Amino acid sequence: MITLPGEKIPVVNHEKVKIIRKQFVINPDESSVIARHSGLIIDREVKGEHKLGLLTRPKKYLPEAEDFVVGIIKSRENEAYLVDIGGPTIARLGETEFQGASKRNKPNLEEGALIYARVLEHNKFERTTLTCISTKDNKQWTTGESFFGELKGGFVFPGSISFCRDLLDKRKTQILDELKKHVAYEVAVGINGKIWVSTAKPQNLIILINSIKKAENCDPESFKLYLRGIKQHWK
């Protein structure tokens, strides 16, 4: 069944259903949920757990808390960076919102720099708030190895929001894992439709980008065959 934003969807045995909260708002009466986006309703049982979700192909990015995003520094304002993440408004990233940063020890990012960040808070009345502090990784920003932070070198290219969402899903990371069997590379996937990649050998960069783009319209087996076919081109 197809649903539209704002449409109510009845839910039976609400307490026994795992609802993807990024896609639905739960009604106070708990007898229905409200769709945040348009899409195909997916009502299925996975490993004995009943799940309710939406299959969507959004064209515009709407920020939500905990989204991972690739952004571009546009300017500075009041001890913060203003960042373009492709959302309805410019986002805000505090100058000390980096792992281990302080007022005296913090990154100095230039206009045009790329960053990988997490959406901390979003509402329609204020700027989206970003952070480069991870809740799972403790590597300091000064090491250059922190999970979030400035993306140096490499190349950023667009991908559909639904494809980027799949790449960020741990159950659907075969694409990135398969590529690692052929070439060493770094990647940062933004759910805002931006993918950043970097390789030690620049000649591999175009092949890597084309391979990721190819994967969007391939099933896993076809993608493996494709990679075998271009094996001789990796340097």
Side-chain angles (χ1 to χ4, degrees), residues 160-222:
S160 72
I161 292 173
S162 57
F163 178 56
C164 290
R165 182 184 291 127
D166 286 349
L167 289 177
L168 284 167
D169 189 330
K170 290 183 179 181
R171 296 164 298 178
K172 300 178 181 179
T173 54
Q174 299 92 337
I175 291 168
L176 302 179
D177 290 341
E178 283 297 325
L179 278 166
K180 287 178 181 177
K181 296 176 182 178
H182 298 268
V183 63
Y185 72 98
E186 293 180 85
V187 62
V189 180
I191 203 171
N192 58 330
K194 305 293 181 185
I195 304 170
W196 173 88
V197 291
S198 178
T199 61
K201 296 181 178 180
Q203 57 267 47
N204 285 334
L205 192 60
I206 296 299
I207 305 173
L208 179 61
I209 292 169
N210 288 338
S211 296
I212 294 174
K213 288 181 176 180
K214 178 78 174 178
E216 182 166 6
N217 299 306
C218 272
D219 60 75
E221 288 305 314
S222 297

Side-chain angles (χ1 to χ4, degrees):
M1 183 174 73
I2 302 294
T3 187
L4 298 173
E7 190 171 340
K8 288 185 179 181
I9 301 156
V11 178
V12 180
N13 295 328
H14 180 276
E15 67 280 358
K16 296 181 180 180
V17 180
K18 183 175 181 180
I19 296 168
I20 301 176
R21 292 177 179 266
K22 284 189 175 184
Q23 297 178 340
F24 298 101
V25 175
I26 299 176
N27 257 351
D29 62 8
E30 298 189 348
S31 63
S32 66
V33 294
I34 301 172
R36 293 178 184 268
H37 316 287
S38 60
L40 178 67
I41 296 174
I42 305 297
D43 189 354
R44 60 184 177 179
E45 191 170 307
V46 180
K47 295 181 179 180
E49 187 176 45
H50 188 189
K51 292 187 177 182
L52 183 69
L54 280 177
L55 182 62
T56 64
R57 291 188 67 86
K59 294 182 179 180
K60 293 183 179 181
Y61 172 61
L62 298 175
E64 293 184 10
E66 300 306 320
D67 281 355
F68 292 2
V69 294
V70 174
I72 303 173
I73 301 295
K74 303 302 289 185
S75 61
R76 269 183 170 167
E77 178 184 272
N78 299 328
E79 299 185 337
Y81 295 102
L82 299 186
V83 187
D84 182 2
I85 58 171
T89 61
I90 292 292
R92 184 182 186 278
L93 172 67
E95 290 182 346
T96 58
E97 284 293 320
F98 295 83
Q99 211 84 31
S102 65
K103 287 189 175 182
R104 293 186 178 183
N105 180 29
K106 59 189 178 185
N108 183 23
L109 303 179
E110 300 292 334
E111 183 179 335
L114 290 171
I115 61 152
Y116 195 42
R118 175 170 61 92
V119 175
L120 192 62
E121 187 178 6
H122 170 74
N123 66 64
K124 62 183 179 181
F125 302 109
E126 299 176 357
R127 282 188 173 134
T128 299
T129 304
L130 305 178
T131 181
C132 285
I133 297 173
S134 172
T135 58
K136 297 180 180 179
D137 179 71
N138 293 320
K139 291 180 180 177
Q140 305 290 291
W141 76 269
T142 51
T143 66
E145 298 177 352
S146 56
F147 186 79
F148 296 112
E150 185 177 7
L151 299 172
K152 297 180 180 179
F155 187 81
V156 65
F157 62 98
S160 72
I161 292 173
S162 57
F163 178 56
C164 290
R165 182 184 291 127
D166 286 349
L167 289 177
L168 284 167
D169 189 330
K170 290 183 179 181
R171 296 164 298 178
K172 300 178 181 179
T173 54
Q174 299 92 337
I175 291 168
L176 302 179
D177 290 341
E178 283 297 325
L179 278 166
K180 287 178 181 177
K181 296 176 182 178
H182 298 268
V183 63
Y185 72 98
E186 293 180 85
V187 62
V189 180
I191 203 171
N192 58 330
K194 305 293 181 185
I195 304 170
W196 173 88
V197 291
S198 178
T199 61
K201 296 181 178 180
Q203 57 267 47
N204 285 334
L205 192 60
I206 296 299
I207 305 173
L208 179 61
I209 292 169
N210 288 338
S211 296
I212 294 174
K213 288 181 176 180
K214 178 78 174 178
E216 182 166 6
N217 299 306
C218 272
D219 60 75
E221 288 305 314
S222 297
F223 186 61
K224 288 179 183 178
L225 289 173
Y226 167 78
L227 290 179
R228 288 178 200 147
I230 64 168
K231 187 176 181 179
Q232 70 275 16
H233 298 298
W234 299 109
K235 303 297 182 182

